[in-house]
Structures are given as C-alpha cells and as structure tokens.
Amino acid sequence: MIRNLRVPALALALGALLAACGDDEGSAEYQTAYTNHQPLAVTGHPSTGSLGTVQRIVWHLADKDADALAALNTEGGDAGSEARAWIKAYGADAQGEVTADFLDEGSVRQDVVLHFTKSRRTQELTVRIGDDDTWGVVLDRPEPEPEAR
C-alpha cells in the first residue's frame, strides 16, 4: 500500500518541479494576455516565434499600448512615433476580429498580412529575429489598404 502511494506523490512532485522550471520569462504574462483578447485567426504556416510576435502586436494594438508595441521593434532606435501611428490606425480595429495570413517560410523572418474585419482594411508587416535573438517586428509607418471585396 505504501508503495502505491509513493508513485502518485512522486509524479505530483515532479510535475510541480517541471512546471516551476518551465515557466519561461513572460509565459504567465502571455497566458493572461491570450485569455484577455479575441482569438487571432491564422492562415499559412507561422513558426512559434512569428505567431507569438504577431499575437503580441495585435494585443498591444488592442490595448493601445504604444510602449509595448515599440519594444517589439527590431530595427533599433526610438519607434514610439511609429507605434503611436499604428495604434491610431488600428487600435480600435484590433479589439475585434483579426486574421493573420502568414506568407512564406518563417524560420527567421516572415511576411504577414493582417486583415481587420471591423474596418475591412489590411496591413502588411514583417516579423523577424532581431539582433538580440528574439522575435520582433520591423515597425515602419502603417500603410492601411482597403480590403479587397
């Protein structure tokens, strides 16, 4: 009987240890953001990095968080004005349904087209691995295009 109790207790302890060790930086923050926002519809073949980055971009737009959006910029320098322009153009739209079309292969960079259902506009962007080996966005001025009918 004692032997039968040891196995579940060991499994429980090991699971707790793995959960504690596996909590990568920001994973709790990511999970919270994931549950607090509309789901992102996806087409194409994103990598884990490109998908996570595009989700964060849409969330930061929806939250109108220019600082967080600018922090994802891979091009260096102050991207605050570009982030504010993106929020002005898409902040309200990002609170609704958004579809991301992931183009080409996404191992180190990927072009993505965002489709904002509310305004029926699209925006192309490039996500890539930056100098610090983390995924981010090339944060240029937004150029909204009407959705093709």
Side-chain angles (χ1 to χ4, degrees):
M1 178 78 166
I2 293 175
R3 200 175 273 219
N4 289 342
L5 292 176
R6 286 184 188 168
V7 173
L10 181 60
L12 183 60
L14 183 58
L17 178 62
L18 290 174
C21 292
D23 190 22
D24 297 331
E25 77 179 56
S27 67
E29 178 183 324
Y30 182 89
Q31 187 62 36
T32 299
Y34 185 86
T35 58
N36 289 336
H37 293 90
Q38 291 249 2
L40 178 67
V42 174
T43 64
H45 302 284
S47 68
T48 302
S50 66
L51 176 59
T53 301
V54 171
Q55 284 183 313
R56 284 183 174 93
I57 291 165
V58 173
W59 297 340
H60 297 329
L61 288 171
D63 295 342
K64 299 182 179 172
D65 189 343
D67 292 336
L69 184 59
L72 292 175
N73 182 41
T74 60
E75 305 309 291
D78 182 13
S81 63
E82 288 85 359
R84 287 187 297 278
W86 274 77
I87 289 169
K88 183 178 179 183
Y90 299 114
D93 292 336
Q95 293 172 356
E97 292 180 20
V98 180
T99 299
D101 292 332
F102 288 81
L103 311 174
D104 27 271
E105 183 272 329
S107 60
V108 295
R109 76 178 290 285
Q110 195 160 30
D111 291 323
V112 180
V113 179
L114 297 177
H115 300 272
F116 298 92
T117 302
K118 184 175 180 179
S119 65
R120 300 182 56 136
R121 295 184 297 163
T122 63
Q123 174 65 52
E124 190 169 333
L125 57 94
T126 301
V127 292
R128 70 180 189 90
I129 296 176
D131 293 337
D132 60 354
D133 291 330
T134 61
W135 279 86
V137 62
V138 177
L139 199 58
D140 294 328
R141 284 267 178 207
E143 297 178 12
E145 296 179 15
E147 183 76 25
R149 293 183 185 218

